Amino acid sequence: MQKLVEGIHHFQRNYFSQEQKLFETLVEGQYPQALFITCSDSRIDPSRLTQTKPGELFILRTAGNIVPPYGAVHGGEAATIEYAVSALEVKDIIVCGHSHCGAVAGLLNPKLIEKMPAVKSYLQLAESTRRIVEENYAYLTDPQQRLMLTVEENVLVQLESLRTHPSVAAAIGRGKLNLHAWVYEFETGEVFSFDPDKGQYLPIQHRADFAVETAHMLPPI
Amino acid sequence: MQKLVEGIHHFQRNYFSQEQKLFETLVEGQYPQALFITCSDSRIDPSRLTQTKPGELFILRTAGNIVPPYGAVHGGEAATIEYAVSALEVKDIIVCGHSHCGAVAGLLNPKLIEKMPAVKSYLQLAESTRRIVEENYAYLTDPQQRLMLTVEENVLVQLESLRTHPSVAAAIGRGKLNLHAWVYEFETGEVFSFDPDKGQYLPIQHRADFAVETAHMLPPI
Amino acid sequence: MQKLVEGIHHFQRNYFSQEQKLFETLVEGQYPQALFITCSDSRIDPSRLTQTKPGELFILRTAGNIVPPYGAVHGGEAATIEYAVSALEVKDIIVCGHSHCGAVAGLLNPKLIEKMPAVKSYLQLAESTRRIVEENYAYLTDPQQRLMLTVEENVLVQLESLRTHPSVAAAIGRGKLNLHAWVYEFETGEVFSFDPDKGQYLPIQHRADFAVETAHMLPPI
Amino acid sequence: MQKLVEGIHHFQRNYFSQEQKLFETLVEGQYPQALFITCSDSRIDPSRLTQTKPGELFILRTAGNIVPPYGAVHGGEAATIEYAVSALEVKDIIVCGHSHCGAVAGLLNPKLIEKMPAVKSYLQLAESTRRIVEENYAYLTDPQQRLMLTVEENVLVQLESLRTHPSVAAAIGRGKLNLHAWVYEFETGEVFSFDPDKGQYLPIQHRADFAVETAHMLPPI
């Protein structure tokens, strides 16, 4: 804790003044452009990765960046998504998975989580991911490759769950909202974005990112 | 999105190299000291506020930093808390509310959220907060003061919910985990920490922060 | 049944007349001082134990005196607690466990209840108790001692759940309600009350009982 | 609390010694003959009413002696009933309502409970009672008579819920379990037992009580 408390004082002395004007205008309200859904993993920092300032990203973070289908769970995910879309009218939602994700590893290897009943029951919401990988990628035996591929598939599965939320479905219907599937490899700093036309993830481009209409990968050749 | 994509490239060109070594060691695993639970609000950035680096904070973010009591919701909150405490063995959990919180405002004024059924049902998990304020602070009529006080009470209510999670209860029982109640006033950069002895929030000190045993304020004088 | 029916006639002939006046005044309404939460066990009789008359104790009894956290179960426990606190304005809530509790035994030894699905799922609400004992008292191998200690911990865990109920949280907030943790050893007639300062249960004293603020035991030495 | 603590000491000094032998044998286990389901109301004391000793009655008490249908609520009622029937093999279950019941009054007059959401949602489990009375007894305008009749109907409705519990259904099927509907008028000390043949409640007789097969009253003449 000591470190955190000192960090706050460091922030107050050295950074706050530079941003004070920004923060004061933000008292009026927030107008984030996007909802960024990612993992609780301590190695991921969405604001640092996207170099965004306070007020720019509305952020939902839970273990494994899982989005329960609408109605499955009356928890924070549904409320946060609804608030972002209906109250804040964000234009984009990004679901961003990451390399070396412990939750996704638990999905592939239940032993890792057998003493964690709440994690176990939550991962059942990613059962589609597990089956897609099990049924389509049996040949993929290298653990690292398998984990990374599962992370990629999981993001697409969560995009489908996202579409089941009424506020999301309606906004997409009006052409007011785009969904994006990203995977962040923190050890290289690379971000891969799913290209629905090519049916695969590609290094993110300078031009505006792909909006994902059909969220599944092309069957492996 | 254009801005986010450019931000990423900016991060890759100008920041990643400085942190590459850190990120490479983090491939081995994460060892965060604390679980930081805060709101999805775009104006809040826990890592910036605490000046922490990747790997230091495990972060749960949902609208209104609400923690459902154990068993109430089988969602991401319970799983994320269990993973942080049982798998990562964090030593501290901070619940951090903030000024001008839209979710808490919706708690005080249901009209604001009446078109958001998922938000509405989620806020029922903060019903204790609403009643504490309604029954104990009728005299507090200034909307800003009332909102800020509700934010403060809400953090304490969520600490009580946190205690009902088995992993948390067990870790507290063996003296391995401390809970902390913070409120962040982003427009001034100030952070207030709840002092259980004084029964009130005080500006955060240099010395290590209070662990909260008795999570309620002293009755107003 | 024969015995019960005869008991009623015995009551009517020999006891009712003595209490008729009391019962007639009670038609006007009930004003119990406390809500007494205990087990359904036939060996426990709260009114006999406390030598209270009709009108003095509002009583909630279920197997294992378990209090579901608010929102976990929309059943009788939440309604009974809310009615006691909001409608009857009781000043004290006592959660009273007891020696040789079958429900708590089932928590320690799932084999005992494996054919009882409803009991099983209900005991999941005491999962905190199970983990606290498993993680902190491995050294305690004597079955009787282990059962009694689990009963003691379980009462404290249920107090934490109690705090998540809005009516309870609000009343504690305004200093109008105290919580008490008791354990009754029926074979000796002794009652032990949790002393939050000492972090242990002590034989109940003549002076008014402890109110429990911090509901966990000190880590075992 | 002072009164309760003194009551305990009074019990210990003056009563325990007489029952010590009984309590010591009860350490071996409990063998209650019946499960007694009644209201949490402080004016009701099942053991005093039936003049039973410790070990004779397994007791479930919640506001309004409501029994949720199996599966509706995974709470203490289902677990307690299952434990009584499957583990303790009780031969009889009595559901006992009482005069001047506040929960039943709330069922007839929602205004009384509009500030109690948990009570409200719990009383929805007695909606059948409300409708039976509303649809069949419109002519009954005297509030006292109407409340008492609703108490009577409510007990029968709860008997039907009881039959939906698998352990109960199976034991009835084996002829090992009987259900009984009682109403206790505490101001007169009278107990009325439902006679399925006559389709009405009658003062309880010396002979063994009626077992209720068909749990509804005959249509009013």
Side-chain angles (χ1 to χ4, degrees):
Chain A
M1 288 301 294
Q2 192 54 28
K3 193 169 183 323
L4 298 183
V5 174
E6 281 162 10
I8 291 173
H9 291 290
H10 184 68
F11 167 77
Q12 292 169 334
R13 279 193 312 275
N14 307 310
Y15 289 81
F16 179 71
S17 59
Q18 305 163 22
E19 294 171 342
Q20 186 157 13
K21 284 219 155 24
L22 170 60
F23 279 120
E24 282 165 8
T25 57
L26 287 174
V27 166
E28 304 311 318
Q30 60 176 325
Y31 306 95
Q33 291 304 298
L35 165 61
F36 197 98
I37 301 176
T38 192
C39 185
S40 292
D41 193 297
S42 63
R43 298 166 293 190
I44 310 310
D45 182 346
S47 306
R48 178 185 306 242
L49 174 62
T50 57
Q51 295 289 304
T52 41
K53 285 194 163 344
E56 295 183 337
L57 283 187
F58 198 70
I59 298 174
L60 170 62
R61 296 186 70 168
T62 65
N65 45 264
I66 289 171
V67 176
Y70 188 71
V73 168
H74 298 285
E77 300 88 352
T80 305
I81 291 162
E82 186 180 65
Y83 192 83
V85 176
S86 301
L88 303 177
E89 301 181 336
V90 297
K91 304 265 166 300
D92 297 280
I93 302 180
I94 298 125
V95 178
C96 183
H98 67 91
S99 54
H100 308 284
C101 181
V104 174
L107 194 64
L108 291 175
N109 181 359
K111 277 219 185 67
L112 296 174
I113 56 164
E114 71 192 340
K115 292 221 161 139
M116 293 184 259
V119 172
K120 224 154 137 185
S121 81
Y122 191 54
L123 287 181
Q124 284 169 12
L125 295 169
E127 174 63 11
S128 296
T129 304
R130 202 190 58 69
R131 286 178 76 144
I132 287 169
V133 171
E134 179 180 281
E135 295 174 13
N136 302 329
Y137 300 94
Y139 64 86
L140 199 61
T141 53
D142 172 70
Q144 273 325 313
Q145 285 178 16
R146 195 172 179 75
L147 177 57
M148 194 59 170
L149 177 117
T150 309
V151 167
E152 292 177 345
E153 288 287 1
N154 188 50
V155 169
L156 297 179
V157 164
Q158 303 317 321
L159 274 200
E160 294 298 358
S161 288
L162 210 44
R163 294 174 191 282
T164 66
H165 289 253
S167 55
V168 171
I172 290 176
R174 290 196 303 280
K176 295 287 188 202
L177 179 66
N178 291 315
L179 308 185
H180 309 269
W182 289 6
V183 169
Y184 170 37
E185 193 173 76
F186 65 78
E187 65 270 38
T188 62
E190 280 190 290
V191 175
F192 301 88
S193 170
F194 184 73
D195 177 343
D197 304 329
K198 299 213 172 53
Q200 57 180 292
Y201 284 85
L202 300 175
I204 201 159
Q205 301 303 315
H206 274 279
R207 66 175 179 74
D209 184 51
F210 313 105
V212 178
E213 296 294 343
T214 62
H216 54 266
M217 297 218 217
L218 295 184
I221 298 120
Chain B
M1 286 301 296
Q2 191 54 31
K3 195 170 182 324
L4 297 182
V5 173
E6 281 163 9
I8 291 173
H9 291 292
H10 184 67
F11 167 78
Q12 292 170 334
R13 279 194 312 276
N14 308 310
Y15 289 82
F16 179 71
S17 59
Q18 306 165 20
E19 294 171 345
Q20 187 158 13
K21 284 221 155 22
L22 170 61
F23 279 120
E24 282 165 8
T25 57
L26 288 174
V27 167
E28 303 312 317
Q30 59 176 324
Y31 306 94
Q33 290 305 296
L35 165 60
F36 197 99
I37 301 175
T38 192
C39 185
S40 292
D41 192 297
S42 64
R43 298 165 293 189
I44 310 309
D45 182 347
S47 306
R48 178 186 306 242
L49 174 62
T50 58
Q51 296 289 302
T52 41
K53 286 193 164 345
E56 296 183 337
L57 282 187
F58 198 71
I59 298 174
L60 171 62
R61 296 186 67 168
T62 64
N65 45 267
I66 289 171
V67 176
Y70 185 71
V73 169
H74 298 284
E77 300 89 351
T80 304
I81 290 162
E82 186 179 65
Y83 192 83
V85 176
S86 300
L88 302 177
E89 301 182 338
V90 298
K91 305 266 165 298
D92 297 280
I93 301 179
I94 298 125
V95 178
C96 182
H98 66 91
S99 53
H100 308 285
C101 181
V104 173
L107 194 62
L108 290 176
N109 181 1
K111 278 218 184 68
L112 297 174
I113 56 163
E114 71 192 339
K115 295 226 162 124
M116 293 183 262
V119 172
K120 223 154 137 185
S121 81
Y122 192 54
L123 287 182
Q124 284 170 13
L125 296 168
E127 171 67 8
S128 291
T129 305
R130 201 191 58 69
R131 283 177 76 148
I132 288 171
V133 172
E134 179 181 282
E135 296 179 15
N136 301 333
Y137 299 95
Y139 64 87
L140 198 61
T141 53
D142 172 71
Q144 272 324 314
Q145 284 179 18
R146 194 169 179 77
L147 177 58
M148 194 59 171
L149 177 117
T150 308
V151 166
E152 292 178 343
E153 288 285 2
N154 188 49
V155 169
L156 297 178
V157 164
Q158 304 316 322
L159 274 198
E160 294 295 1
S161 289
L162 209 45
R163 294 175 191 278
T164 66
H165 290 253
S167 54
V168 172
I172 289 176
R174 47 176 199 288
K176 295 288 189 203
L177 179 66
N178 291 315
L179 307 186
H180 308 270
W182 289 5
V183 168
Y184 171 36
E185 193 173 76
F186 66 78
E187 65 270 37
T188 62
E190 280 190 290
V191 175
F192 300 88
S193 169
F194 184 73
D195 177 342
D197 304 328
K198 299 214 172 51
Q200 57 179 291
Y201 284 86
L202 300 175
I204 200 159
Q205 301 301 315
H206 275 279
R207 67 176 179 73
D209 185 49
F210 312 107
V212 178
E213 296 289 348
T214 64
H216 56 267
M217 299 220 217
L218 296 185
I221 298 120
Chain C
M1 286 302 294
Q2 191 54 30
K3 193 170 184 322
L4 298 184
V5 174
E6 281 163 10
I8 291 173
H9 290 291
H10 183 67
F11 167 77
Q12 292 169 335
R13 278 193 312 276
N14 308 310
Y15 290 82
F16 178 72
S17 58
Q18 306 164 20
E19 292 171 345
Q20 186 159 11
K21 283 223 156 21
L22 169 60
F23 278 119
E24 281 165 7
T25 57
L26 287 173
V27 166
E28 303 311 317
Q30 59 175 325
Y31 306 94
Q33 290 305 297
L35 166 61
F36 197 98
I37 300 176
T38 192
C39 185
S40 292
D41 193 297
S42 63
R43 298 166 293 188
I44 310 310
D45 182 347
S47 305
R48 177 186 306 243
L49 175 61
T50 57
Q51 295 290 302
T52 41
K53 285 192 161 352
E56 295 182 337
L57 282 187
F58 198 71
I59 298 175
L60 171 62
R61 297 186 68 167
T62 64
N65 46 266
I66 289 171
V67 176
Y70 185 70
V73 169
H74 298 285
E77 300 88 353
T80 305
I81 291 162
E82 185 179 65
Y83 192 84
V85 176
S86 300
L88 302 177
E89 300 181 338
V90 297
K91 304 266 166 298
D92 296 280
I93 301 180
I94 298 125
V95 179
C96 183
H98 67 90
S99 53
H100 308 284
C101 181
V104 174
L107 194 63
L108 290 175
N109 181 0
K111 278 219 184 67
L112 297 174
I113 56 163
E114 72 193 338
K115 296 225 161 126
M116 294 183 261
V119 172
K120 223 155 139 185
S121 81
Y122 192 54
L123 287 182
Q124 284 170 12
L125 295 169
E127 172 65 10
S128 291
T129 305
R130 202 190 58 68
R131 283 176 77 148
I132 288 170
V133 172
E134 179 181 283
E135 296 179 14
N136 301 333
Y137 299 95
Y139 64 87
L140 199 60
T141 53
D142 172 71
Q144 272 324 314
Q145 285 179 17
R146 196 169 178 76
L147 177 57
M148 194 59 171
L149 177 117
T150 308
V151 167
E152 292 178 345
E153 289 285 2
N154 188 50
V155 169
L156 297 179
V157 164
Q158 303 317 321
L159 275 198
E160 295 294 0
S161 289
L162 209 44
R163 294 174 190 281
T164 66
H165 289 253
S167 55
V168 172
I172 289 176
R174 48 177 199 286
K176 294 288 188 204
L177 178 66
N178 291 315
L179 307 186
H180 309 270
W182 288 6
V183 168
Y184 170 37
E185 193 172 76
F186 66 78
E187 65 270 38
T188 61
E190 280 190 289
V191 175
F192 301 89
S193 170
F194 184 73
D195 177 343
D197 303 328
K198 299 215 172 51
Q200 56 180 291
Y201 284 86
L202 300 176
I204 200 159
Q205 301 302 316
H206 275 279
R207 65 175 180 72
D209 184 51
F210 313 105
V212 178
E213 295 290 345
T214 65
H216 57 265
M217 300 219 215
L218 296 184
I221 297 118
Chain D
M1 286 302 294
Q2 191 53 30
K3 195 170 181 324
L4 297 183
V5 173
E6 281 162 9
I8 290 173
H9 290 290
H10 184 67
F11 167 78
Q12 292 170 333
R13 279 192 313 275
N14 308 311
Y15 290 82
F16 179 71
S17 58
Q18 306 163 23
E19 294 171 344
Q20 186 157 12
K21 285 220 155 22
L22 169 61
F23 279 120
E24 281 165 9
T25 57
L26 288 173
V27 166
E28 304 311 317
Q30 60 176 324
Y31 306 94
Q33 290 306 297
L35 165 60
F36 197 97
I37 302 175
T38 191
C39 185
S40 292
D41 192 298
S42 64
R43 297 166 293 188
I44 310 310
D45 182 347
S47 306
R48 177 185 306 242
L49 174 62
T50 58
Q51 295 290 303
T52 41
K53 284 192 165 345
E56 296 183 336
L57 282 187
F58 198 70
I59 298 174
L60 171 62
R61 296 186 68 167
T62 65
N65 44 266
I66 288 172
V67 176
Y70 188 70
V73 168
H74 298 285
E77 300 88 352
T80 305
I81 291 162
E82 187 180 64
Y83 191 83
V85 176
S86 302
L88 303 177
E89 301 180 337
V90 297
K91 304 268 164 297
D92 297 279
I93 302 180
I94 299 125
V95 178
C96 183
H98 66 91
S99 54
H100 307 285
C101 181
V104 174
L107 194 62
L108 290 176
N109 181 1
K111 278 219 184 67
L112 296 174
I113 56 162
E114 72 191 340
K115 292 222 161 138
M116 294 184 259
V119 172
K120 226 155 134 185
S121 80
Y122 192 55
L123 287 182
Q124 284 169 12
L125 296 168
E127 173 65 10
S128 296
T129 305
R130 202 190 57 69
R131 287 177 76 144
I132 288 169
V133 171
E134 180 180 279
E135 295 175 15
N136 301 331
Y137 300 93
Y139 65 87
L140 198 60
T141 52
D142 172 71
Q144 273 324 314
Q145 285 178 17
R146 194 171 180 78
L147 177 58
M148 194 60 170
L149 177 116
T150 309
V151 167
E152 292 177 346
E153 287 286 1
N154 188 49
V155 169
L156 297 178
V157 164
Q158 303 316 321
L159 274 199
E160 294 298 358
S161 288
L162 209 45
R163 294 173 191 282
T164 66
H165 289 253
S167 55
V168 172
I172 290 176
R174 291 196 302 280
K176 295 288 188 201
L177 179 65
N178 291 315
L179 307 187
H180 308 270
W182 288 6
V183 168
Y184 171 37
E185 192 173 78
F186 66 77
E187 65 270 39
T188 62
E190 279 190 290
V191 175
F192 300 89
S193 169
F194 184 73
D195 177 342
D197 304 328
K198 299 213 173 52
Q200 57 180 293
Y201 284 87
L202 300 175
I204 201 159
Q205 302 302 317
H206 274 279
R207 68 174 178 74
D209 184 49
F210 312 106
V212 177
E213 296 296 340
T214 61
H216 54 266
M217 298 219 216
L218 295 185
I221 298 123

